[in-house]
Every structure is written in C-alpha cells, then in structure tokens.
Amino acid sequence: MVTAMGYLTVCQVSRVFIFNYGVLSTDFSGPLMIVTQKITTLAFQLHDGMCKKSEQLTSEQNALAINVRPSLIEYLSYNLNFMSVLVGPCSNYKEYIDFIEGRHISRRLRQHSGTCNGQNGYDKAPDPSPVNAVCRKLLVCSGCMLFFLTVTRSLPITYNVDPHFVSHAPFLTRLTYAFFSIQAARPKFYFAWTLADAVNNAAGYGFLGMDENGKPSWDLICNLNIVGIETATSFKTFIDNWNIRTGIWLKTVCYDRAPKHRLALTFILSALWHGVYPGYYFTFITAIPITIAARAVRKSVRHHILGFRGLKLGYDILTWAATQLAICYTVMPFLLLAIEPTLVYYRSMYYHVHIISILAAVALHRKHKPSEPSATTKTFSSSSSSTFPCSAQCQPVHSNNNDKVD
C-alpha cells in the first residue's frame, strides 16, 4: 500500500510540474490510479488469505481472500488487461480469474438457479448475451457526449470565479450558476465510466446474475448509478452511487480496516489517491463535516416524518435540494484545482456550507452520542456489500442502509 501510493504520489507531483494545472491528452495519471487500486486490492486479499485466520476476517473478506499467490502472468493480466487499463473499473481478483478461466457466467447462473427454483438448467442454456447491455450503455455514452458538446461547454466552471461575475452578480445568481455548472460537468464522467463498463461487458465480463424479472444483468462492475446520483436525497447516497468501484476500494482497504477515525482517514486517502492538487484536499476535507452533519440531521429528523406521506414528500424534496447544493459546494474545488480560485469561490459563497454543517454537527452531537455497537452493527459494514441486488439500474454494491449510522 505504501509503495504503490508513494509511487503514484511521486507521479502526481511530476504531473503538476509537467502540465502546470492542465489536463492534457497525454495525462498518464489515470491508468496509474487504476493500477494502484488493483495492486493494493490484490495485496490485501492475499494478506487476508495467507496471513490471517478465517475467524479474524469479515464474511466479505473471507469470500474474497486469496490463498495461493498468483503467477507472474496472472498478476500482469489482472493489472494490465486491455478492458480496464485506462479508466478501470477495478474488480476483485477472484472474479477476474473466474472470467479468464471461463467460470464467470456459469457460476453466477448456478447461484441463481439454486436460489430461485432449484433447477440446474444453466448448463443446458446458452450463456446470456451482453449485446443489449452494451448497446444500452453505448447509447448513454452518446447522450453524454452530445450533452457535453452542447451544454457543458456553455457553462464553464471557471466562470464561477470570474472577478466581474463574483463582484456584481447577486448571491442567488452565483449559487444558481454554480449549481447548473456542476450538474453540466457530470456527463463527462458518466461517459468515461459507462464506456469502460460497456468495454468489459463486450468482452464478456461483468455478468451479475439474473434480475428480479429473470433477465440477465451486466452490472457487476458498474461504476455509477446515474438515476441514484441525480435523485440522491443524502450526501451519503450520492457518494454511494458515484464512482462505485473506487468507493468499494476505499471501503475494503481503509474504512473496514482502520482502527479509528475511519471516516477522516478514508477521505484523506481518497484525496491522496486523486492527486496533489490542493482542490482535491479542499473537497474531501470539506466532505468530512458535511457527512457528519448529514448523519446527525437524518437521525434527528427523518424518523419523525416517515409515517406522513405529505411530510415525507416535502422532506425528500428538501433533502434532495440540500444534497445537490452541498455536493455543488463540495465538488467545486475538485474542478478548480488551485488554491486561489477555490478561496475566491468559497468567499463568494460566504463559507455557508462549512458554517451550517459544523454548527449542525456540534448542536446535534450531544443528542446522539455513539453508543456501544450491537452485534448487528458490528457485522453490518461487512455484510452490506457481500451481496449485490440483481438490478439493471446498477445499485452500488458497497451502499449501506441510510437508516443506519456507523
């Protein structure tokens, strides 16, 4: 972990000096970030399988533990295969080897037949085709590309820190423009991750199983849930649906293993993995108090209104708006990169999200002091991602129930 992250950080520093805050077509950091995920994922899974006893591991860690050291060709194939070498997504070593050795689909069909009707006809039927899934994802890519060429370019992020705009536009105008410019910036990420998912599916990798309608789902290594992102009513729900495989990586190598301060350490690791631009650290450090405040508010308010349909609808609308504005405020430095424009933007916003989240976290802290975790809570973190709902909408595998708070 230290070696891989250290090497990546050295390369990220050189990237800053070479590109001078630019993002060029020759940027080499993306593939290195994916390889770092794979190397560390494999290292931890090997450590679990060869250096720990099964009773020391969670059920999820037990399922993914590797007991035999891979050969050189297996190691290189997992890290450098053409399907995910550019933008990922990162997958588990066992799942990748199942794909290479021809067990990927049959094993999941066998699991489905065993849980549904006990029939073993999976070996008599042809393997499900990924053509429909690939076409659907390529159609999403086309829509995202069209949106980027027509809308995104007309709403540049840098206009949020334009001196004339900041000094003359009213606060609500600046807030509205920030909201729509961030919304418009997302499709380029949707395009890259959906295309990467389609490439894996076209190669026959990524079969999840049969969904609730009996249709094949190819969302095993899906990296985002666009509907979940755009309709998220909590900060955590948004994160769970955004860059899903990276979220799983952070959970399995840091959050589940850190002895304390898990949330802060996970966000710091995420910032370090993304690079050394100051904007990354502004984003992920800002996310810490927002996440804590969102948890506290949810625990204090949500259970009071669940029984009232009208109030629940109003609460959902309000929390959706608050979530999207909080994401906009948090993500802006990630796109601005440098310190000076970040501070210009935060000053123009009067640091309102920082202030509100810190006050909410402090005010509600005494109401909800952490109690001794029950047996259910202790096992929750590991069990939450051990199963993946068979859904064509690509629900995040690492998503925890939002009603429960760590």
Side-chain angles (χ1 to χ4, degrees), residues 157 160 175 178-179 181-183 186 234-236 238-239 242 267 270-271 274 277-294 321-338 341-343 345-346 349 351-358:
I157 290 293
N160 286 283
L175 187 66
F179 173 79
S181 62
I182 289 293
Q183 296 288 114
R186 292 177 191 169
S234 73
F235 198 78
K236 182 186 180 304
F238 186 98
I239 295 174
W242 176 272
F267 276 126
S270 182
H274 279 91
Y277 288 123
Y280 298 156
Y281 295 85
F282 276 102
T283 288
F284 290 106
I285 292 175
T286 300
I288 296 173
I290 293 176
T291 302
I292 295 172
T323 297
Q324 299 300 325
L325 289 173
I327 289 294
C328 166
Y329 181 91
T330 307
V331 169
M332 189 67 73
F334 191 96
L335 301 175
L336 294 173
L337 297 179
T342 295
L343 293 179
Y345 172 73
Y346 277 160
M349 293 289 109
Y351 298 93
H352 70 281
V353 176
H354 280 98
I355 295 170
I356 293 171
S357 60
I358 292 172

Side-chain angles (χ1 to χ4, degrees), residues 8 25 37 52 91 128 195 215 260 266 284 361 379 403:
L8 175 64
S25 59
Q37 283 191 6
K52 285 190 174 183
S91 59
L195 181 61
K215 297 181 178 180
K260 55 184 178 179
T266 302
F284 290 106
T379 59
D403 295 332

Side-chain angles (χ1 to χ4, degrees), residues 82-249:
F82 76 93
M83 301 179 294
S84 58
V85 71
L86 291 180
V87 291
C90 175
S91 59
N92 294 307
Y93 177 79
K94 277 190 172 181
E95 293 168 349
Y96 176 75
I97 290 300
D98 280 348
F99 163 69
I100 290 295
E101 297 182 353
R103 300 186 299 266
H104 176 56
I105 294 178
S106 62
R107 176 170 290 180
R108 293 186 173 274
L109 286 176
R110 186 183 301 113
Q111 292 172 354
H112 175 78
S113 63
T115 55
C116 292
N117 53 21
Q119 301 299 316
N120 289 323
Y122 66 90
D123 54 351
K124 300 175 183 177
D127 285 347
S129 171
V131 171
N132 288 338
V134 172
C135 292
R136 174 172 53 84
K137 291 171 183 178
L138 290 179
L139 187 62
V140 171
C141 289
S142 301
C144 291
M145 182 184 295
L146 182 63
F147 187 94
F148 176 79
L149 294 175
T150 56
V151 178
T152 303
R153 292 190 172 186
S154 64
L155 295 170
I157 290 293
T158 53
Y159 191 65
N160 286 283
V161 293
D162 179 79
H164 184 270
F165 179 67
V166 170
S167 59
H168 291 84
F171 173 75
L172 288 179
T173 301
R174 286 182 269 120
L175 187 66
T176 301
Y177 183 82
F179 173 79
F180 283 107
S181 62
I182 289 293
Q183 296 288 114
R186 292 177 191 169
K188 65 181 180 181
F189 299 100
Y190 295 169
F191 171 83
W193 290 331
T194 304
L195 181 61
D197 193 18
V199 168
N200 281 271
N201 292 167
Y205 187 37
F207 180 68
L208 174 61
M210 310 303 289
D211 64 17
E212 62 273 10
N213 298 317
K215 297 181 178 180
S217 173
W218 289 84
D219 291 329
L220 176 67
I221 53 175
C222 180
N223 219 5
L224 80 162
N225 177 4
I226 296 177
V227 174
I229 290 169
E230 299 298 341
T231 61
T233 57
S234 73
F235 198 78
K236 182 186 180 304
T237 303
F238 186 98
I239 295 174
D240 283 346
N241 288 282
W242 176 272
N243 204 355
I244 295 171
R245 299 305 305 183
T246 295
I248 295 171
W249 173 70

Side-chain angles (χ1 to χ4, degrees), residues 45 49 59 72 74 174 310 376:
Q45 291 174 354
S59 58
L72 177 61
E74 290 171 332
R174 286 182 269 120
T376 304

